[in-house]
Amino acid sequence: LNLNISTYASSGAVTVMGKRNRADLERVRNAMCAELPALTHAGLFPELDYVEALASRMPSSASFEDVLDAFAASDAAVGTHYALCKADTLKHMARVLKPLSGLSTADQLRMCMAPVRVVSEEQMQLFFRFASQYAAGVTVPPPRPTSELGRARLLAQLRQ
């Protein structure tokens, strides 16, 4: 597909079709005219206000994972056509955060939605270290390994 990127001053990057390749333009035109099947199910991320309201109604012993379970089971929140988006990942992250005290419901929700690959041990270690320090009130700059050496240093620090 022959696309050119241009920039408008106020709205950022925009993809523009060029006139040079009419086959590309025809393919996009056909795709945009295609009839799509009706959606029968969709994923839904929880909104902070709803999660906080739900958490406030639960016993103080309830974990954030329990709150996510209650959200997923709530017909008022998700109904019959929606499901908690990435439920397994969100719940895994909630379990990782469970031993930490000092995190608000908002903190836990934001951290559960962090762009972390839960299958990456390295990323999970960095995430837990950040979350632990954040929960303790320490201001922590995000790790940014710029080279293999930087990455090795970060891993060495994690092992301490």
Side-chain angles (χ1 to χ4, degrees):
L1 193 60
N2 183 13
L3 300 176
N4 299 316
I5 304 295
S6 64
T7 303
Y8 288 106
S10 64
S11 62
V14 177
T15 303
V16 180
M17 294 293 300
K19 292 182 179 179
R20 294 180 297 202
N21 194 339
R22 293 196 184 273
D24 286 348
L25 186 58
E26 189 62 30
R27 191 173 341 147
V28 170
R29 186 177 292 127
N30 290 338
M32 293 181 73
C33 292
E35 190 170 325
L36 299 174
L39 291 177
T40 59
H41 204 74
L44 180 69
F45 274 118
E47 290 288 328
L48 177 58
D49 293 344
Y50 188 84
V51 172
E52 286 181 325
L54 191 57
S56 71
R57 292 187 188 104
M58 296 185 71
S60 60
S61 61
S63 69
F64 191 67
E65 184 180 7
D66 296 332
V67 174
L68 291 174
D69 284 337
F71 178 87
S74 170
D75 283 340
V78 294
T80 57
H81 298 292
Y82 298 96
L84 179 60
C85 193
K86 296 191 174 191
D88 293 340
T89 299
L90 291 174
K91 289 171 61 175
H92 177 80
M93 298 295 278
R95 282 190 295 276
V96 168
L97 296 172
K98 190 174 184 174
L100 304 177
S101 59
L103 293 174
S104 68
T105 300
D107 292 335
Q108 291 180 76
L109 181 60
R110 284 187 204 104
M111 287 187 186
C112 285
M113 295 172 67
V116 176
R117 290 183 58 227
V118 296
V119 296
S120 167
E121 186 176 332
E122 177 184 356
Q123 285 187 22
M124 290 304 295
Q125 287 175 341
L126 289 170
F127 170 78
F128 186 75
R129 181 173 181 203
F130 169 81
S132 298
Q133 291 175 336
Y134 183 88
V138 177
T139 302
V140 187
R144 292 197 173 114
T146 56
S147 66
E148 284 301 313
L149 180 59
R151 184 171 174 230
R153 284 184 189 141
L154 278 174
L155 288 174
Q157 287 174 358
L158 284 173
R159 291 185 184 110
Q160 293 177 351

